[in-house]
Amino acid sequence: MPAGRPCTLSEFAAERSDLSGDKAGLLAVGFNARLVACHAQSISSLTNDTSAWMFSLLNVFSWRRAGTGQSHEMPTIFRRLSTISRMLLHPYFVFDGPDCPQIKRGKDVGGWSPPSLLVQRFQELLTAFGFDWHVAPGEAEAELSCLQSCGFIDAVVTPYNDTLLFGATCVLRSIRGDEDVEVYSAEAIENSAALEWGDLLLITLMSSADSDTGCRWCDTDVARRLVDYGFGRTLLEAAISLQFVEFMEFVAKWRDNVCEVLRTDPQHFLGRRYHELARIIKEERFEFPDPAILAMYLSPLTSWSDDGHSPITCVTSRQPNLTALAAFCSQRLGWPPDTVQSALMDACAGAAMRALLQVSFAIMPNMPIPSHHSPYAAAGQRRW
């Protein structure tokens, strides 16, 4: 999508944090905990800077293959968290929960396995760094999007494009190259790429792999041109406004209209006719779009589902506990004293920066200690 703006996470945090005025506070950024971890050898040639840890976000980590004990993943995670501690932001981490979908975008995404020793060590380390976290009931990205819609966090870091479908309004997508992230906002996508929420939903449904065959319905370019006929927006409106029985009646007619457009391309938006794709949808895939997939995006399982309560009241962070970090490095990682001392230098820099921020806010009149409070009592609920 052309709406992405490249920058580094440090730059984004610095430009978006408000360190003056009546609403002073640091940027709050949500992370899917799964995406922060990676195998150390995949980034062994990189330096220990912002680019290094952001590059590691590209490597989706599988807890099922996680090591235990003094694994090589923990030093990598330690370095990433050390770097985050020096940034002008409040990080918040969410772990996938027990009801995380096993299949997504037609692919096995791993789901949840019982907490491994690595997961427990990761959580210990987050606490030692002064970073808050919790385990979502379902998918971490849906939980993070809900946290953002409630106003708890300002942005979500992810390599995925479909986070916006969960309601996230500002996504930092990790990328390769000289720049670290691309900033996507719902407003920028709508203004620059002329895509609304329903359009993104249709693109995802059409270009995702089929769960039975593993084949995609069509490529993203075809799906992008199909949205010009308005099918995504009408589908979303119906999904939100209609009861289930009414929606299923609507979608049968909607599917026929999609097939007719694929066969004829009456306004020449597609550039050609797709008879075979129309035939497959019409004759072989009677449940397209799958109601379960729509529900996964439009009504995902979160802490707020079924009138649930928010797991947090605000997002903030504390100074790293250097004593706890030193003990972790020595006892959990088995590092010798000189290695521990070297590793704690970055953490000390983060502790010093946060201490200076606290002093600055304390001595300036009428300025609160920077935290990030929710302006809403609960997340907005979608009807369907």
Side-chain angles (χ1 to χ4, degrees), residues 212-380:
D212 294 328
T213 65
C215 299
R216 294 195 302 172
W217 293 95
C218 63
D219 61 37
T220 306
D221 188 50
V222 175
R224 171 62 183 88
R225 292 197 293 268
L226 187 62
V227 304
D228 291 335
Y229 282 99
F231 289 120
R233 302 179 190 188
T234 57
L235 179 65
L236 176 62
E237 181 181 357
I240 293 177
S241 62
L242 300 179
Q243 298 297 332
F244 183 76
V245 174
E246 296 174 316
F247 174 77
M248 295 308 295
E249 294 174 351
F250 162 85
V251 85
K253 298 178 181 178
W254 178 91
R255 183 170 52 247
D256 288 340
N257 292 333
V258 169
C259 292
E260 181 64 20
V261 165
L262 289 172
R263 284 193 297 263
T264 62
D265 190 20
Q267 299 184 48
H268 307 290
F269 291 151
L270 300 179
R272 53 160 290 193
R273 298 173 182 178
Y274 293 87
H275 293 281
E276 181 60 16
L277 178 58
R279 185 196 68 78
I280 293 175
I281 294 176
K282 183 74 172 178
E283 299 179 7
E284 300 180 16
R285 300 301 178 191
F286 302 108
E287 291 191 353
F288 177 80
D290 190 335
I293 296 178
L294 281 173
M296 181 179 67
Y297 284 117
L298 301 182
S299 298
L301 176 64
T302 69
S303 295
W304 291 266
S305 299
D306 299 324
D307 297 323
H309 299 290
S310 172
I312 59 176
T313 57
C314 69
V315 171
T316 187
S317 55
R318 301 165 299 282
Q319 288 181 256
N321 186 331
L322 299 179
T323 301
L325 289 175
F328 185 95
C329 293
S330 177
Q331 299 170 12
R332 305 302 194 193
L333 302 181
W335 289 351
D338 57 337
T339 303
V340 173
Q341 183 177 3
S342 176
L344 288 182
M345 291 303 296
D346 287 341
C348 288
M353 186 201 72
R354 293 181 183 276
L356 288 173
L357 283 172
Q358 288 179 325
V359 170
S360 298
F361 280 91
I363 64 177
M364 299 180 71
N366 301 321
M367 187 171 292
I369 297 296
S371 61
H372 199 84
H373 294 270
S374 168
Y376 307 111

Side-chain angles (χ1 to χ4, degrees), residues 25-356:
L26 297 182
L27 190 75
V29 177
F31 296 86
N32 184 332
R34 171 195 293 259
L35 303 179
V36 175
C38 72
H39 292 291
Q41 62 265 31
S42 66
I43 58 169
S44 59
S45 63
L46 299 176
T47 57
N48 183 28
D49 59 5
T50 303
S51 298
W53 87 262
M54 283 304 299
F55 183 86
S56 72
L57 292 176
L58 296 170
N59 302 276
V60 180
F61 190 82
S62 172
W63 297 121
R64 296 179 300 175
R65 299 191 296 271
T68 57
Q70 296 177 7
S71 64
H72 60 267
E73 295 90 4
M74 285 313 308
T76 300
I77 296 174
F78 184 95
R79 290 193 294 270
R80 304 291 79 79
L81 297 183
S82 292
T83 301
I84 294 174
S85 71
R86 304 196 304 272
M87 296 182 181
L88 291 173
L89 55 82
H90 291 307
Y92 192 87
F93 294 81
V94 177
F95 290 79
D96 287 329
D99 293 319
C100 182
Q102 297 289 324
I103 302 295
K104 189 174 180 184
R105 295 174 292 275
K107 300 178 181 179
D108 182 0
V109 294
W112 172 267
S113 60
S116 67
L117 185 56
L118 177 61
V119 178
Q120 298 174 32
R121 295 289 184 260
F122 192 177
Q123 293 168 350
E124 289 178 22
L125 197 52
L126 287 172
T127 300
F129 268 102
F131 302 152
D132 290 331
W133 57 271
H134 79 267
V135 178
E139 189 172 1
E141 293 205 345
E143 187 87 350
L144 287 164
S145 297
C146 213
L147 286 171
Q148 187 178 37
S149 69
C150 288
F152 287 113
I153 59 177
D154 300 290
V156 177
V157 177
T158 175
Y160 300 136
N161 285 325
D162 60 0
T163 310
L164 291 164
L165 292 175
F166 288 121
T169 56
C170 185
V171 175
L172 308 182
R173 183 173 178 268
S174 54
I175 58 174
R176 293 180 182 270
D178 297 331
E179 299 292 344
D180 296 316
V181 299
E182 285 180 340
V183 181
Y184 291 86
S185 67
E187 181 181 4
I189 290 176
E190 183 174 348
N191 293 337
S192 178
L195 294 174
E196 296 182 3
W197 189 12
D199 300 327
L200 296 175
L201 180 64
L202 181 65
I203 291 174
T204 299
L205 293 171
M206 294 295 296
S207 59
S208 295
D210 182 83
S211 58
D212 294 328
T213 65
C215 299
R216 294 195 302 172
W217 293 95
C218 63
D219 61 37
T220 306
D221 188 50
V222 175
R224 171 62 183 88
R225 292 197 293 268
L226 187 62
V227 304
D228 291 335
Y229 282 99
F231 289 120
R233 302 179 190 188
T234 57
L235 179 65
L236 176 62
E237 181 181 357
I240 293 177
S241 62
L242 300 179
Q243 298 297 332
F244 183 76
V245 174
E246 296 174 316
F247 174 77
M248 295 308 295
E249 294 174 351
F250 162 85
V251 85
K253 298 178 181 178
W254 178 91
R255 183 170 52 247
D256 288 340
N257 292 333
V258 169
C259 292
E260 181 64 20
V261 165
L262 289 172
R263 284 193 297 263
T264 62
D265 190 20
Q267 299 184 48
H268 307 290
F269 291 151
L270 300 179
R272 53 160 290 193
R273 298 173 182 178
Y274 293 87
H275 293 281
E276 181 60 16
L277 178 58
R279 185 196 68 78
I280 293 175
I281 294 176
K282 183 74 172 178
E283 299 179 7
E284 300 180 16
R285 300 301 178 191
F286 302 108
E287 291 191 353
F288 177 80
D290 190 335
I293 296 178
L294 281 173
M296 181 179 67
Y297 284 117
L298 301 182
S299 298
L301 176 64
T302 69
S303 295
W304 291 266
S305 299
D306 299 324
D307 297 323
H309 299 290
S310 172
I312 59 176
T313 57
C314 69
V315 171
T316 187
S317 55
R318 301 165 299 282
Q319 288 181 256
N321 186 331
L322 299 179
T323 301
L325 289 175
F328 185 95
C329 293
S330 177
Q331 299 170 12
R332 305 302 194 193
L333 302 181
W335 289 351
D338 57 337
T339 303
V340 173
Q341 183 177 3
S342 176
L344 288 182
M345 291 303 296
D346 287 341
C348 288
M353 186 201 72
R354 293 181 183 276
L356 288 173

